[in-house]
């Protein structure tokens, strides 16, 4: 087999939107205004509307979005934040940068999202917030999480970096907690042509504080109220994102069609397929399967020209970054096991059904089931 199927074909997306992206670029260059201008303000309004939110603040990237939310909530040294044991390391880094302590909680085995039934046992008098991640584009099981948070006086901060447009009980991510962080890293479902991120919330005071922190702790030029940062969504990225946001729902629908195809074509294969909870409508940022024969399968798919990735090969708490801290020794066997067994198949709005079928054929062949 000689099919060459990339893990994600970003170029195909950009050639589809070529003229819109060119027009966005020209608008910004012609305006000669590159930071905190009309494109950023317009995108913030459009993305807030997309999420159903009152406020959106464009920032430099998803990590900064998470970090600014924590800072704006005055969560810092001495405080604890509950995070999934199984997530991209940025979730953890935001907490660590804020000076607070990460408290990992294991996932549900079927969805890989944080297990709400394990959260209460992880709460201490120092706990300030729960930070669920909508991993792979599927909303975490938010109803019990929000219920625990309300009862225990905690904030809920959504890490929605992989879940633009996903819904839980009909509500879009971004509106499922007190505040949410999005990333517009190029490979995300809504990706810029560089770095970008946003904070979304209905809390006006929080939004105001995030905006101030993102712009040198300033609300008014040269008046600095706090030790802020420089992390803003620039005009060029905002203009590109406005063009791409118009296609997000249809591109997410194409991802869902691929996921549906994989689920039906791989039903008999010796891999564990993704499980979607009734309340959730995922946007399939990733299509993650689980197999104890991962190395063998990846070798076979690579030989067939199919791009496969692993999300994530090392749990955040096992990375060198956290060596010597208490979380490095903590027990999270499921995150450890998943890191050894998960692999992500190609998925994206520009993968064709025919390509998905080739991936399935190659996977069946690798597993000896086809
Ligand atoms: C991508 C990602 C982030 C960080 O976003 P950046 O824009 O790369 O900083 C945070 N959390 C999760 C779950 C992500 O996938």
């Amino acid at each position: 087999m000689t099919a060459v199927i990339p893990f994600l074909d970003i170029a195909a997306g950009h050639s589809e939107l070529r003229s819109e992206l060119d027009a966005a670029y020209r608008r910004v260059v012609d305006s000669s205004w590159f930071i905190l201008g009309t494109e950023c303000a317009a995108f913030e309004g459009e993305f807030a509307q997309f999420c159903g939110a009152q406020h959106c603040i464009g920032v430099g990237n998803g990590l900064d979005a998470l970090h600014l939310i924590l800072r704006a909530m005055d969560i810092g040294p001495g405080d604890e934040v509950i995070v999934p044991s199984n997530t991209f390391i940025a979730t953890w880094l935001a907490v660590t940068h804020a000076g607070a302590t990460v408290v990992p909680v294991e996932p549900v085995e079927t969805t890989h999202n944080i297990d709400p039934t394990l959260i209460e046992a992880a709460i201490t008098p120092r706990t300030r917030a729960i930070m669920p991640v909508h991993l792979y584009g599927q909303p975490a099981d938010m109803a019990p999480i929000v219920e625990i948070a309300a009862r225990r006086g905690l904030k809920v901060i959504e890490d929605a970096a992989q879940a633009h447009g996903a819904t839980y009980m009909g509500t879009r991510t971004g509106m499922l907690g007190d505040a949410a962080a999005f990333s517009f890293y190029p490979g995300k479902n809504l990706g810029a042509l560089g770095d970008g991120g946003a904070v979304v919330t209905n809390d006006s005071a929080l939004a105001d504080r995030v905006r101030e922190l993102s712009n040198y702790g300033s609300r008014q030029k040269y008046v600095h109220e706090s030790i802020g940062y420089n992390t803003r969504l620039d005009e060029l990225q905002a203009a590109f994102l406005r063009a791409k946001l118009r296609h997000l729902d249809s591109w997410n629908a194409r991802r869902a069609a691929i996921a549906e195809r994989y689920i039906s074509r791989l039903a008999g294969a010796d891999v564990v397929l993704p499980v979607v909870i009734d309340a959730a409508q995922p946007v399939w940022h990733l299509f993650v399967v689980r197999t104890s024969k991962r190395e063998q399968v990846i070798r076979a798919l690579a030989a067939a020209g199919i791009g496969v990735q692993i999300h994530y090969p090392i749990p955040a708490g096992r990375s060198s970054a956290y060596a010597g801290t208490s979380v490095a020794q903590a027990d999270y066997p499921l995150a450890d096991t998943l890191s050894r067994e998960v692999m992500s198949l190609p998925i994206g709005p520009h993968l064709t059904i025919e390509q998905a079928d080739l991936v399935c054929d190659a996977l069946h062949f690798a597993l000896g089931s086809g």
Side-chain angles (χ1 to χ4, degrees):
M1 225 181 348
T2 52
V4 177
I5 301 176
F7 177 72
L8 173 65
D9 194 353
I10 290 185
H14 290 162
S15 68
E16 181 184 322
L17 303 187
R18 191 63 192 227
S19 61
E20 290 163 73
L21 295 173
D22 284 350
Y25 167 79
R26 266 185 259 108
R27 261 194 339 267
V28 174
V29 173
D30 289 347
S31 78
S32 287
W33 191 288
F34 300 106
I35 303 289
L36 296 181
T38 55
E39 296 290 337
C40 180
F43 173 73
E44 288 174 342
E46 288 157 11
F47 194 66
Q49 188 175 28
F50 177 84
C51 297
Q54 279 164 34
H55 307 283
C56 169
I57 303 100
V59 298
N61 56 65
L63 171 59
D64 285 353
L66 287 166
H67 179 220
L68 290 187
I69 293 169
L70 291 162
R71 279 282 324 261
M73 289 176 171
D74 290 316
I75 294 174
D79 296 331
E80 292 176 355
V81 177
I82 291 174
V83 296
S85 57
N86 178 48
T87 180
F88 180 55
I89 196 168
T91 318
W92 287 42
L93 292 178
V95 175
T96 306
H97 283 311
T101 301
V102 286
V103 176
V105 165
E106 287 268 79
V108 177
E109 184 148 13
T110 50
T111 65
H112 305 190
N113 267 327
I114 193 167
D115 187 342
T117 67
L118 302 178
I119 288 177
E120 290 231 70
I123 295 173
T124 77
R126 291 169 178 266
T127 308
R128 294 283 314 280
I130 308 169
M131 192 181 268
V133 178
H134 307 310
L135 201 64
Y136 316 146
Q138 170 165 213
D141 192 5
M142 294 301 289
I145 294 173
V146 168
E147 186 276 321
I148 293 165
R151 191 156 38 76
R152 304 293 294 258
L154 308 176
K155 298 286 192 191
V156 176
I157 302 165
E158 294 173 75
D159 181 340
Q162 302 187 356
H164 322 66
T167 64
Y168 178 86
M169 294 184 177
T171 300
R172 280 211 158 138
T173 60
M175 289 288 90
L176 299 167
D178 294 288
F182 286 89
S183 164
F184 306 124
Y185 177 79
K188 301 293 161 91
N189 289 38
L190 178 60
L193 276 64
D195 274 314
V199 172
V200 162
T201 183
N202 277 345
D203 181 335
S204 304
L206 187 78
D208 193 46
R209 182 101 168 91
V210 166
R211 194 176 290 286
E212 176 231 301
L213 283 168
S214 75
N215 188 30
Y216 294 113
S218 168
R219 286 186 176 86
Q220 193 189 332
K221 201 165 191 181
Y222 303 129
V223 180
H224 301 276
E225 300 164 47
S226 62
I227 305 293
Y229 306 87
N230 171 13
T231 177
R232 303 167 300 208
L233 182 66
D234 68 71
E235 289 289 286
L236 208 42
Q237 297 309 332
F240 292 142
L241 287 166
R242 291 182 70 197
K244 293 181 81 174
L245 179 59
R246 288 184 213 115
H247 302 271
L248 181 56
D249 281 331
S250 75
W251 284 19
N252 279 342
R254 291 198 226 160
R255 286 175 179 270
I258 297 295
E260 202 180 308
R261 188 70 168 194
Y262 278 152
I263 287 170
S264 71
R265 287 282 325 268
L266 295 174
D270 184 23
V271 287
V272 181
L273 294 172
V275 172
V276 176
I277 58 174
D278 282 345
Q281 211 172 352
V283 288
W284 299 102
H285 174 58
L286 298 171
F287 190 94
V288 175
V289 299
R290 190 175 157 191
T291 168
S292 54
K293 301 177 205 145
R294 184 171 72 184
E295 303 321 314
Q296 167 199 328
V297 171
I298 289 181
R299 255 198 314 275
L301 292 183
I306 294 167
V308 171
Q309 294 192 8
I310 297 172
H311 301 90
Y312 297 91
I314 303 170
R318 304 289 182 228
S319 60
S320 310
Y322 285 94
T325 71
S326 61
V327 284
Q329 266 72 54
D331 219 25
Y332 26 91
L334 189 48
D336 287 329
T337 303
L338 292 176
S339 73
R340 285 190 297 268
E341 298 189 352
V342 292
M343 56 181 224
S344 308
L345 302 181
I347 194 163
H350 298 85
L351 191 79
T352 65
I353 293 290
E354 292 70 31
Q355 286 177 312
D357 284 344
L358 289 174
V359 173
C360 295
D361 292 343
L363 194 57
H364 277 297
F365 184 74
L367 291 161
S369 56

